[in-house]
Amino acid sequence: MVLKINFEYKYFLVLICFLSILVRASGLGEVIWAVNCGGEAHTDIHGIHYQKDYLTVGIPSDYGKNLQIQRVVPQDQILYQTERYHTSTFGYDIPIDDDGDYALVLKFSEVWFTAMNQKVFDVVVNKQHTVVENIDIYGKVGRGAAHDEIIGISVKNGKVKVNGETSQFVNGKIPVEFIKGERDNPKINALYVVRGTPDDIPKLGPLPGMEKGPEIPEQEREEEEIDDDKDDKPKKKRKTSGPPIQDPYAADDTSSMMLPLFVAIGAFVPLVFCLCKL
């Protein structure tokens, strides 16, 4: 009887160890809040459930459906194909109930412009902390590619701490604002908050050699900016959607998805072998 109990207990420990390995492999904490900006509800490959965009300020757009978004599996392209933008500053209020460390993930993709310095704006947290300054999505990853900005936030004793700066935590909500600049309109494709740190957040894959455009010398950049200011031509009307296109990088994305599982299995097999010899 004692041997049977020990046997069952041993394999119970194996199961617990295996589950903990899987949790560490996925590296994602408790999801506090998530929104698919400008779009419908969606659950991604990490199990994050994004609610339908509830904001009434600004303009929702799904023009990105005309493109296949690189660096992300086909299932989750929708998170970067829909967006909310506004002709002025706008934002969302993140509900936070408890003290602790949190990670804010801002998801972007440039689906309209085909050059740098066309859309540039800031992101401010809790009215005081500029967490992303002069973001130029095309300048970072080109057109039609996913880009995430990950920000660590700490809440404790009525204070919000971001990048070493502190501000007041009021009414159980932290505003995240997209600040209107001189170059087009601020936007956001999706965002979520988890309990944990930026190190816990799954990272996007590398850029698959997509066209980003040549680096423009600073002098030419300034001349181009002057020309842009003189251009008063009306912009094209945005389309609503486009036909689905097969993702040529789907196989690569699937392989990266399976990597945490292979790591977990690789750690699990030796563990079982060692326990069986006890």
Side-chain angles (χ1 to χ4, degrees):
M1 182 67 176
V2 174
L3 288 175
K4 182 178 180 181
I5 293 175
N6 288 339
F7 179 81
E8 292 176 350
Y9 180 69
K10 179 173 68 175
Y11 279 93
F12 174 75
L13 290 177
V14 171
L15 179 61
I16 293 300
C17 291
F18 181 59
L19 291 175
S20 67
I21 290 170
L22 281 177
V23 169
R24 288 196 300 271
S26 62
L28 191 63
E30 176 191 1
V31 179
I32 304 300
W33 175 85
V35 177
N36 180 25
C37 304
E40 299 296 321
H42 176 76
T43 300
D44 72 6
I45 60 170
H46 303 291
I48 300 174
H49 179 71
Y50 294 78
Q51 61 179 302
K52 178 181 178 180
D53 192 357
Y54 58 84
L55 206 63
T56 57
V57 174
I59 304 166
S61 171
D62 63 355
Y63 178 79
K65 288 183 178 179
N66 287 294
L67 304 177
Q68 52 181 343
I69 306 300
Q70 309 302 334
R71 305 183 76 190
V72 62
V73 296
Q75 175 185 336
D76 291 342
Q77 288 191 29
I78 190 64
L79 294 173
Y80 298 89
Q81 290 171 326
T82 63
E83 66 182 49
R84 181 171 292 277
Y85 68 95
H86 192 25
T87 55
S88 182
T89 294
F90 76 104
Y92 293 80
D93 289 333
I94 303 172
I96 301 290
D97 295 328
D98 303 312
D99 286 0
D101 292 328
Y102 299 89
L104 166 65
V105 181
L106 307 171
K107 294 184 174 292
F108 300 100
S109 66
E110 181 53 68
V111 299
W112 180 253
F113 291 110
T114 57
M116 295 185 294
N117 295 318
Q118 301 300 302
K119 181 188 288 291
V120 181
F121 57 94
D122 295 345
V123 182
V124 173
V125 167
N126 209 34
K127 304 289 185 180
Q128 296 186 34
H129 312 292
T130 301
V131 294
V132 183
E133 187 172 8
N134 293 327
I135 182 171
D136 181 344
I137 305 166
Y138 184 92
K140 284 183 173 292
V141 295
R143 186 170 184 257
H147 173 69
D148 289 355
E149 293 282 346
I150 305 171
I151 299 99
I153 299 173
S154 178
V155 178
K156 187 176 182 181
N157 298 330
K159 302 286 186 180
V160 175
K161 189 173 183 179
V162 182
N163 295 334
E165 300 176 349
T166 303
S167 58
Q168 293 293 325
F169 180 47
V170 182
N171 298 327
K173 294 181 179 179
I174 298 178
V176 178
E177 295 177 294
F178 305 92
I179 309 300
K180 169 70 174 179
E182 296 180 355
R183 299 190 177 280
D184 200 63
N185 304 309
K187 61 169 274 184
I188 180 67
N189 293 81
L191 67 165
Y192 70 89
V193 177
V194 299
R195 187 182 296 276
T197 68
D199 291 337
D200 300 325
I201 303 303
K203 305 303 187 292
L204 294 171
L207 283 169
M210 70 173 297
E211 295 179 2
K212 184 177 177 181
E215 262 320 299
I216 302 175
E218 191 64 32
Q219 183 177 356
E220 292 182 21
R221 237 185 251 182
E222 292 175 0
E223 293 174 357
E224 184 180 70
E225 290 170 6
I226 294 172
D227 292 340
D228 291 341
D229 292 337
K230 294 180 180 179
D231 187 5
D232 295 324
K233 294 180 181 179
K235 295 179 181 179
K236 295 180 181 179
K237 185 177 180 181
R238 295 195 175 199
K239 300 178 183 178
T240 55
S241 64
I245 306 172
Q246 185 177 0
D247 185 359
Y249 302 100
D252 294 339
D253 290 331
T254 303
S255 299
S256 62
M257 268 176 53
M258 296 298 294
L259 182 59
L261 182 58
F262 293 150
V263 171
I265 293 174
F268 177 63
V269 172
L271 181 62
V272 173
F273 178 77
C274 293
L275 287 174
C276 288
K277 294 184 69 175
L278 294 178

